[in-house]
Amino acid sequence: MRSIWCSVFIAALLAIIPAYAFNAGAPVPSGNGMLEPVQDGKLPPGYRWIVLASDLDPDQLPMQRYLRLLPWATFNVVKTRTGYWALIIGPYERRQAESIAADLKARGFIPYDAYLSSGNGFLPF
């Protein structure tokens, strides 16, 4: 029964969340066409990455867990100025990122301390 609810949830999530998940170098969708490709992980105003986890050792990031929980997302692992590696998804328009993160936190899919980032603290990738 639990797997049925999980399948129903995933189907509903895919139906209600337009997952504009792009690779870091891909254009970000906007209402007026496409923006220029993202450089160095930094995003234009109004867009955010969702940071799921970070660790000093990139091999310790829970990638497999999130691949199962969020099959619709595009993942990137980036190095930060603080020396940590971060597991991120997106980019999304800021309001969409806030909504997705809040929903995933409420469902226990991502940690309560997951946050949004403009990418300004990411090193070039």
Side-chain angles (χ1 to χ4, degrees):
M1 185 69 159
R2 184 176 182 162
S3 65
I4 292 172
W5 282 111
C6 185
S7 297
V8 169
F9 167 72
I10 296 295
L13 188 63
L14 291 172
I16 63 172
I17 298 177
Y20 295 119
F22 290 85
N23 292 325
V28 179
S30 77
N32 299 326
M34 301 300 273
L35 298 173
E36 292 299 312
V38 177
Q39 297 298 319
D40 301 332
K42 297 174 189 164
L43 297 172
Y47 291 88
R48 295 293 181 265
W49 299 104
I50 300 175
V51 180
L52 304 175
S54 62
D55 200 290
L56 286 171
D57 180 357
D59 293 330
Q60 296 301 312
L61 293 172
M63 184 66 140
Q64 293 303 317
R65 175 178 186 267
Y66 288 115
L67 285 171
R68 286 190 307 274
L69 287 174
L70 311 174
W72 47 267
T74 297
F75 296 84
N76 285 288
V77 175
V78 296
K79 181 83 170 183
T80 68
R81 288 189 185 134
T82 61
Y84 281 79
W85 291 89
L87 178 61
I88 61 174
I89 61 172
Y92 303 99
E93 289 180 314
R94 183 188 53 79
R95 284 183 297 174
Q96 184 183 25
E98 289 170 349
S99 176
I100 292 169
D103 183 58
L104 294 175
K105 285 178 186 182
R107 296 176 186 279
F109 280 21
I110 64 175
Y112 72 92
D113 61 350
Y115 64 94
L116 306 182
S117 174
S118 64
N120 290 332
F122 300 159
L123 298 177
F125 60 90

